């Protein structure tokens, strides 16, 4: 049995059926008849030497051995799919991963890059919680401490921002901020606390709204929802277009930074050096 080829089509049918636990829905997804799906599963059961499903009046249930096998087969199948998808990528496509909070800075740069280099294309994947791994990516923007060998992009510097419509003609003081809704990029409100501490000010924050990313908090500020603590670099274009106003000159460094890591070695894809140089050039 072990010398027989692995029945990949049957494994795919098993994974789809295990997800639905219904032959009709599995057949619809696979564009096969119920009988064809049943035969594929039977082929895999014969290859393995044990049953994968128990059939009941209300549908299918995984057997104990089927349930134990499912996560391993699923992981292996997804790994093969990822490897083949990666191999099928055109040579001129670069795979870039970046945290969603960097989009306000990153997207305009990518638009300008592809306008100047028409044979270069970037496939962008956004994530909420960036890490430093480059598996299945050519480059990644990371936030926090700069990893060894990374390319520095910019340091995080925070200052309050709000929509111009919320301001009147008189100068705004730090104490006046208490009249607004405070927009937070984190639940612990550490960005606001850091800036207020640097100003040696204690301020009651009576109205608060929390978001999962700084980008969402900035977007709410643009809509006039309240005052957000924003990175100066990320809101540079919003300040220039006066979608936002930074009423104070004071900014505070958080100690965090945005950095770029890229694939190295003989298998470095074409145009990767161009992408790295473009993103690392000063604004």
């Amino acid at each position: 049995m072990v010398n027989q080829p692995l029945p990949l089509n049957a494994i795919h049918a098993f994974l789809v059926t295990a997800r639905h636990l219904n032959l009709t829905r599995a057949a619809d997804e696979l564009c096969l008849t119920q009988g064809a799906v049943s035969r594929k599963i039977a082929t895999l059961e014969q290859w393995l030497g044990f049953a994968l499903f128990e059939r009941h009046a209300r549908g299918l249930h995984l057997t104990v051995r089927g349930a134990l096998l499912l996560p391993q087969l699923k992981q292996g199948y997804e790994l093969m799919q990822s490897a083949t998808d990666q191999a099928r990528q055109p040579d001129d496509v670069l795979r870039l991963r970046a945290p969603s909070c960097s989009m306000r800075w990153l997207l305009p740069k990518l638009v300008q890059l592809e306008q100047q280099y028409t044979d270069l294309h970037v496939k962008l994947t956004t994530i909420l919680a960036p890490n430093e791994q480059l598996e299945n990516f050519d480059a990644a923007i990371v936030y926090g401490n700069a990893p060894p060998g990374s390319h520095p992009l910019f340091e995080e510097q925070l200052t309050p921002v709000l929509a111009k419509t919320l301001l009147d003609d008189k100068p705004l003081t730090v104490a006046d901020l208490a009249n607004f809704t405070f927009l937070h990029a984190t639940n612990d409100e550490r960005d606001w606390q850091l800036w207020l501490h640097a100003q040696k000010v204690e301020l009651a924050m009576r109205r608060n709204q929390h978001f999962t990313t700084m980008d969402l908090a900035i977007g709410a500020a643009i809509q006039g929802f309240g005052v957000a603590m924003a990175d100066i670099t990320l809101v540079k274009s919003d300040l220039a277009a006066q979608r936002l106003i930074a009423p104070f000159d004071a900014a505070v460094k958080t100690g965090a930074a945005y950095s770029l890591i890229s694939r190295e070695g003989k298998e470095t894809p074409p145009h990767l050096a161009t992408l790295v140089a473009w993103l690392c050039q000063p604004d």
Side-chain angles (χ1 to χ4, degrees):
M1 180 186 301
V2 293
N3 293 324
Q4 296 177 358
L6 189 65
L8 293 178
N9 286 335
I11 291 175
H12 184 216
F14 165 62
L15 294 175
V16 173
T17 305
R19 186 170 69 250
H20 292 293
L21 290 177
N22 183 285
L23 281 175
T24 300
R25 289 199 292 269
D28 289 342
E29 180 175 332
L30 294 167
C31 298
L32 297 171
T33 64
Q34 292 185 43
V37 175
S38 294
R39 287 191 291 273
K40 287 182 179 295
I41 292 172
T43 297
L44 181 58
E45 289 176 328
Q46 183 179 6
W47 193 91
L48 292 167
F50 58 83
L52 296 168
F53 293 103
E54 295 174 350
R55 287 142 178 94
H56 299 276
R58 294 186 178 182
L60 301 175
H61 297 282
L62 285 164
T63 63
V64 173
R65 298 182 73 177
L68 290 173
L69 181 64
L70 176 61
Q72 299 179 58
L73 281 184
K74 185 174 183 292
Q75 182 180 20
Y77 195 87
E78 289 175 349
L79 183 61
M80 287 190 296
Q81 193 169 39
S82 175
T84 53
D85 287 345
Q86 180 177 341
R88 292 168 58 195
Q89 288 284 353
D91 289 339
D92 58 353
V93 173
L94 295 172
R95 297 155 301 161
L96 173 65
R97 184 183 62 197
S100 59
C101 56
S102 68
M103 291 302 105
R104 310 187 80 82
W105 173 85
L106 177 61
L107 288 178
K109 287 185 172 291
L110 293 183
V111 171
Q112 296 169 3
L113 173 66
E114 295 199 10
Q115 286 175 345
Q116 181 160 337
Y117 298 92
T118 55
D119 58 341
L120 187 157
H121 303 287
V122 177
K123 182 178 179 181
L124 177 62
T125 300
T126 61
I127 50 176
L128 286 176
N131 55 48
E132 299 171 13
Q133 296 180 2
L134 269 179
E135 186 177 356
N136 299 326
F137 291 92
D138 300 308
I141 293 176
V142 295
Y143 167 79
N145 296 323
S150 63
H151 309 275
L153 298 176
F154 57 91
E155 291 183 291
E156 185 176 55
Q157 300 184 68
L158 302 179
T159 194
V161 295
L162 70 169
K164 188 176 183 180
T165 54
L166 296 183
L167 297 174
D168 50 31
D169 294 333
K170 66 178 182 179
L172 190 70
T173 67
V174 175
D176 292 332
L177 293 174
N179 300 320
F180 298 99
T181 297
F182 290 84
L183 308 177
H184 303 278
T186 59
N187 287 328
D188 59 13
E189 305 176 359
R190 62 180 180 272
D191 290 349
W192 268 106
Q193 298 293 351
L194 181 65
W195 188 85
L196 290 171
H197 179 74
Q199 313 316 309
K200 299 180 179 179
V201 172
E202 291 187 9
L203 197 64
M205 293 186 285
R206 291 185 291 270
R207 299 193 306 274
N208 300 275
Q209 182 66 47
H210 298 83
F211 299 88
T212 55
T213 67
M214 182 179 290
D215 189 56
L216 291 175
I218 293 170
I222 291 174
Q223 297 300 317
F225 194 8
V227 57
M229 191 58 62
D231 178 81
I232 293 175
T233 302
L234 294 183
V235 296
K236 184 176 181 180
S237 61
D238 297 303
L239 295 173
Q242 292 197 318
R243 289 186 292 269
L244 288 171
I245 301 295
F248 309 110
D249 293 332
V252 61
K253 292 185 178 181
T254 65
Y258 290 84
S259 307
L260 180 70
I261 56 176
S262 60
R263 190 176 299 281
E264 299 179 350
K266 296 181 180 180
E267 297 182 359
T268 299
H271 303 304
L272 180 56
T274 301
L275 172 65
V276 171
W278 186 269
L279 293 181
C280 290
Q281 65 184 345
D283 291 330

